[in-house]
């Protein structure tokens, strides 16, 4: 078999998270092989992944822009793309906390409006 990888892909066992659809959707994964150029991931269930996504590796404290190169059942190969750090992007955990807070705020606002209408 012809090896096309640019670097040796070492076996690892990292927990990861895929983020896509402008980070509104997330999916947990296990990273099985890793190089600076690509990874092999394993998913809990058969999922159809979008072509472009973000790969977050919390244990390494890094986030990569990635492109799905191949996918088979519960596994996929991702090419890690050169990332551009922009000031308008926020970390995924911050974004998830913000969305949760916004949902709570909307719920409280609805309760307050309902209370004001009853008076």
């Amino acid at each position: 078999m012809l090896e096309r990888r640019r670097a040796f892909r070492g076996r690892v066992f990292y927990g990861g998270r895929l983020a896509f659809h402008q980070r509104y959707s997330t999916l947990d994964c296990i990273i099985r092989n890793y190089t600076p150029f690509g990874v092999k991931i394993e998913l809990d269930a058969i999922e159809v992944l979008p072509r472009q996504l973000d790969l977050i590796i919390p244990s390494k404290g890094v986030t990569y822009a990635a492109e799905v190169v191949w996918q088979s059942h519960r596994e996929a190969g991702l090419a890690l793309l050169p990332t551009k750090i922009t000031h308008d992007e926020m970390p995924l955990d911050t974004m998830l906390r913000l969305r949760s807070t916004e949902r709570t705020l909307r719920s409280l606002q609805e309760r307050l409006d309902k209370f004001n209408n009853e008076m």
Side-chain angles (χ1 to χ4, degrees):
M1 179 184 208
L2 178 63
E3 181 65 45
R4 295 182 290 170
R5 293 187 185 112
R6 293 186 282 181
F8 174 74
R9 187 170 285 184
R11 291 184 181 183
V12 296
F13 190 79
Y14 296 143
R17 178 171 283 169
L18 305 174
F20 44 95
H21 298 136
Q22 297 176 340
R23 293 191 166 189
Y24 281 98
S25 301
T26 61
L27 189 63
D28 291 329
C29 67
I30 297 173
I31 301 163
R32 294 294 189 168
N33 294 326
Y34 176 84
T35 72
F37 307 106
V39 296
K40 175 183 172 185
I41 62 168
E42 184 178 296
L43 304 166
D44 288 337
I46 297 173
E47 300 284 343
V48 177
L49 299 174
R51 186 137 175 88
Q52 301 280 329
L53 45 82
D54 292 335
L55 172 66
I56 299 100
I57 307 174
S59 64
K60 292 179 69 71
V62 296
T63 300
Y64 295 99
E67 184 175 322
V68 177
V69 178
W70 62 269
Q71 186 174 358
S72 174
H73 302 289
R74 293 176 42 206
E75 297 180 329
L78 307 179
L80 302 179
L81 306 173
T83 57
K84 293 181 181 175
I85 299 173
T86 60
H87 297 289
D88 59 344
E89 286 186 23
M90 68 175 68
L92 180 61
D93 61 332
T94 304
M95 185 175 289
L96 293 174
R97 283 197 316 264
L98 177 62
R99 289 194 186 128
S100 174
T101 304
E102 288 172 341
R103 280 192 299 272
T104 303
L105 179 63
R106 280 193 301 273
S107 173
L108 290 172
Q109 187 63 48
E110 289 170 2
R111 289 175 62 188
L112 183 60
D113 291 344
K114 183 178 177 182
F115 178 77
N116 287 335
N117 288 337
E118 290 176 358
M119 296 194 86

